[in-house]
């Protein structure tokens, strides 16, 4: 799914008759279409697409409701819930960038995608991936300050600081992916139709299919996974190491239990997002292409579905806000 994935999946596929070679004209820079190969030879794959459709509907409804409650209830207008709101916004954006495209491509047989739409699809998918990873790091920063620096929490984590941090995550994601897309657009391709062994317009298979200088895109392909996934994951590990040390210093069992409870939900989200990626990368040579694609497509679909359920629906503070909102709407309707 990501820049470093599909590194060995760019092998030759059975040649399509329309995939002609531009041996005589190497100056042509863009292909007519990209062909997203995706899943192949999987029986009853339509049921998987139906599952993804249901996941998308629930994801949009769940995150929309969460955002509505945060906007409506003033008691949730806190710096922490600015981060939660941004996470829900990212969840909807990621699901919308990935799932409808999968359904359109494979369920309805639209595997040929034009050059411009392919670059747009790559841009939106990777922006959503980047913001998802960065937002998890932002939420770990909130937990780190709340537990390790409780007396300074309200001076460090303010509305202004969280709004700035949330805005920076989107700005960084957009700028990084804009640079990657610009370098891809400068590549020359020597085929009418370029075959992509992925379930969307993946950066790695695209630039490796080019017949011009790929060095800038290859550097991006090597650097961006570290920046998008490695640095946020390292910061999260560092934050929770400090939190664990601080929890050992807490003498009251009730305080330790309360602090642990606030971190558990976030750690579950981190595991759901990072573990499948790490598993796929670690066992790259031992799992087949279909397994990798299904695993990574689920990595894009399930975290946005589970984030509102795990991180907020089980939070007493949030559920009290929901009860107050329902009570106000039912008993005192407009």
């Amino acid at each position: 799914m990501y820049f470093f994935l599909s590194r060995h999946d760019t092998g030759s596929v059975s040649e399509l008759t329309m995939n002609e070679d531009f041996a005589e004209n190497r100056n042509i820079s863009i292909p007519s279409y990209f062909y997203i190969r995706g899943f192949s030879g999987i029986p009853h794959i339509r049921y998987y697409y139906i599952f993804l459709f249901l996941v998308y509907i629930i994801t949009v409804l769940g995150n929309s409701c969460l955002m509505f409650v945060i906007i409506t209830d003033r008691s949730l207008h806190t710096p922490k819930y600015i981060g939660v709101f941004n996470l829900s916004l990212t969840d909807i954006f990621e699901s919308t960038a990935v799932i409808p495209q999968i359904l359109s491509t494979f369920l309805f047989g639209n595997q040929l995608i034009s050059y411009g739409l392919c670059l747009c699809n790559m841009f939106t998918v990777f922006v959503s991936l980047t913001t998802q990873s960065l937002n998890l790091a932002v939420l770990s920063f909130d937990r780190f300050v709340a537990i390790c620096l409780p007396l300074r929490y309200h001076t460090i984590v303010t509305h202004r600081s969280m709004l700035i941090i949330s805005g920076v995550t989107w700005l960084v994601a957009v700028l990084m992916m804009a640079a990657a897309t610009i370098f891809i657009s400068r590549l020359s391709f020597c085929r009418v139709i370029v075959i992509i062994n992925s379930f969307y317009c993946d950066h790695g298979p695209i630039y490796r299919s080019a017949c011009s200088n790929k060095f800038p895109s290859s550097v991006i392909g090597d650097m961006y996974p570290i920046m998008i996934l490695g640095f946020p994951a390292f910061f999260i590990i560092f934050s929770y190491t400090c939190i664990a040390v601080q929890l050992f210093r807490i003498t009251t069992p009730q305080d330790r239990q309360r602090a642990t409870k606030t971190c558990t939900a976030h750690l579950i989200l981190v595991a759901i997002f990072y573990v499948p990626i790490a598993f796929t990368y670690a066992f790259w040579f031992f799992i087949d292409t279909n397994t990798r694609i299904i695993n990574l497509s689920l990595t894009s679909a399930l975290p946005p579905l589970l984030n509102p359920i795990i991180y907020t629906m089980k939070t007493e503070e949030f559920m009290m806000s929901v009860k107050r909102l329902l009570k106000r709407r039912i008993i005192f309707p407009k």
Side-chain angles (χ1 to χ4, degrees), residues 12 80 163 186 231:
S12 61
K80 172 188 173 181
L163 286 172
R186 295 178 180 273
F231 287 163

Side-chain angles (χ1 to χ4, degrees), residues 3 29-36 93 97 101 112-128 174 176-189 194 196 200-207 210 217:
F3 289 96
S29 59
I30 61 173
S32 299
Y33 294 95
F34 289 96
Y35 180 82
I36 303 178
F93 181 65
Q101 180 265 330
L112 284 176
I113 181 171
S114 66
Y115 179 82
L117 287 178
C118 188
L119 294 188
C120 181
N121 174 245
M122 183 187 72
F123 177 81
T124 55
V125 170
F126 281 117
V127 166
S128 64
V174 170
M176 290 178 65
M177 295 313 115
T181 306
I182 289 172
F183 281 113
I184 286 289
S185 67
R186 295 178 180 273
L187 294 176
S188 294
F189 296 87
V194 175
I196 302 175
Y200 73 106
C201 289
D202 201 347
H203 179 270
I206 291 178
Y207 87 77
S217 292

Side-chain angles (χ1 to χ4, degrees), residues 2-262:
Y2 309 110
F3 289 96
F4 54 91
L5 300 176
S6 302
R7 183 180 298 270
H8 302 285
D9 274 344
T10 56
S12 61
V13 193
S14 57
E15 293 294 327
L16 300 176
T17 55
M18 52 186 159
N19 205 1
E20 302 170 358
D21 214 348
F22 279 117
E24 298 180 357
N25 190 354
R26 295 290 179 176
N27 295 323
I28 293 180
S29 59
I30 61 173
S32 299
Y33 294 95
F34 289 96
Y35 180 82
I36 303 178
R37 187 187 182 201
F39 311 95
S40 60
I42 302 179
H44 310 297
I45 190 64
R46 287 181 177 270
Y47 294 109
Y48 180 65
Y49 301 144
I50 295 173
F51 168 75
L52 289 180
F53 174 74
L54 296 176
V55 166
Y56 178 67
I57 296 298
I58 298 172
T59 298
V60 172
L61 290 176
N63 283 284
S64 298
C65 291
L66 189 151
M67 295 167 65
F68 175 76
V69 173
I70 293 175
I71 293 174
T72 305
D73 194 339
R74 292 189 175 184
S75 66
L76 297 180
H77 293 180
T78 61
K80 172 188 173 181
Y81 279 95
I82 291 176
V84 174
F85 184 91
N86 193 37
L87 182 65
S88 290
L89 183 63
T90 304
D91 289 339
I92 294 177
F93 181 65
E94 181 177 3
S95 295
T96 304
V98 174
I99 297 180
Q101 180 265 330
I102 291 178
L103 298 180
S104 173
T105 301
F106 301 108
L107 186 60
F108 299 105
N110 299 321
Q111 291 177 262
L112 284 176
I113 181 171
S114 66
Y115 179 82
L117 287 178
C118 188
L119 294 188
C120 181
N121 174 245
M122 183 187 72
F123 177 81
T124 55
V125 170
F126 281 117
V127 166
S128 64
L129 162 69
T130 306
T131 51
Q132 182 80 266
S133 182
L134 293 177
N135 281 330
L136 291 174
V138 170
L139 292 177
S140 71
F141 167 75
D142 174 80
R143 293 299 85 204
F144 167 77
V145 177
I147 295 175
C148 298
L149 304 170
L151 298 179
R152 300 180 58 189
Y153 179 81
H154 293 291
T155 58
I156 297 175
V157 184
T158 62
H159 289 79
R160 179 184 175 85
S161 65
M162 286 300 291
L163 286 172
I164 291 175
I165 292 173
S166 298
V168 167
T169 60
W170 284 95
L171 181 62
V172 168
V174 170
L175 291 178
M176 290 178 65
M177 295 313 115
T181 306
I182 289 172
F183 281 113
I184 286 289
S185 67
R186 295 178 180 273
L187 294 176
S188 294
F189 296 87
C190 301
R191 294 182 181 276
V192 177
I193 296 176
V194 175
I195 299 174
I196 302 175
N197 272 344
S198 186
F199 61 94
Y200 73 106
C201 289
D202 201 347
H203 179 270
I206 291 178
Y207 87 77
R208 292 185 187 97
S209 301
C211 56
S212 60
N213 182 16
K214 312 171 189 177
F215 180 73
S217 292
S218 66
V219 171
I220 289 176
D222 292 333
M223 287 180 54
Y224 276 22
I226 300 174
M227 300 171 65
I228 293 172
L229 302 172
F231 287 163
F234 174 80
F235 179 79
I236 292 171
I237 293 172
F238 170 78
S239 299
Y240 277 100
T241 301
C242 297
I243 289 172
V245 172
Q246 184 65 24
L247 289 178
F248 280 113
R249 297 176 180 176
I250 297 177
T251 55
T252 308
Q254 291 81 3
D255 292 339
R256 188 182 297 113
Q257 183 179 5
R258 189 181 304 112
T260 303
K261 186 177 180 180
T262 61

Side-chain angles (χ1 to χ4, degrees), residues 243-317:
I243 289 172
V245 172
Q246 184 65 24
L247 289 178
F248 280 113
R249 297 176 180 176
I250 297 177
T251 55
T252 308
Q254 291 81 3
D255 292 339
R256 188 182 297 113
Q257 183 179 5
R258 189 181 304 112
T260 303
K261 186 177 180 180
T262 61
C263 296
T264 302
H266 180 256
L267 283 174
I268 294 174
L269 299 187
V270 170
I272 292 172
F273 182 76
Y274 285 105
V275 169
I277 301 173
F279 174 83
T280 303
Y281 185 64
F283 297 97
W284 180 265
F285 294 100
F286 303 101
I287 54 179
D288 59 77
T289 302
N290 285 330
T291 303
R292 287 196 294 270
I293 291 177
I294 290 178
N295 184 37
L296 294 174
S297 60
L298 287 176
T299 303
S300 299
L302 292 184
L305 169 70
L306 299 175
N307 285 351
I309 298 173
I310 295 173
Y311 200 72
T312 53
M313 298 300 185
K314 291 187 177 182
T315 303
E316 183 178 354
E317 177 185 22

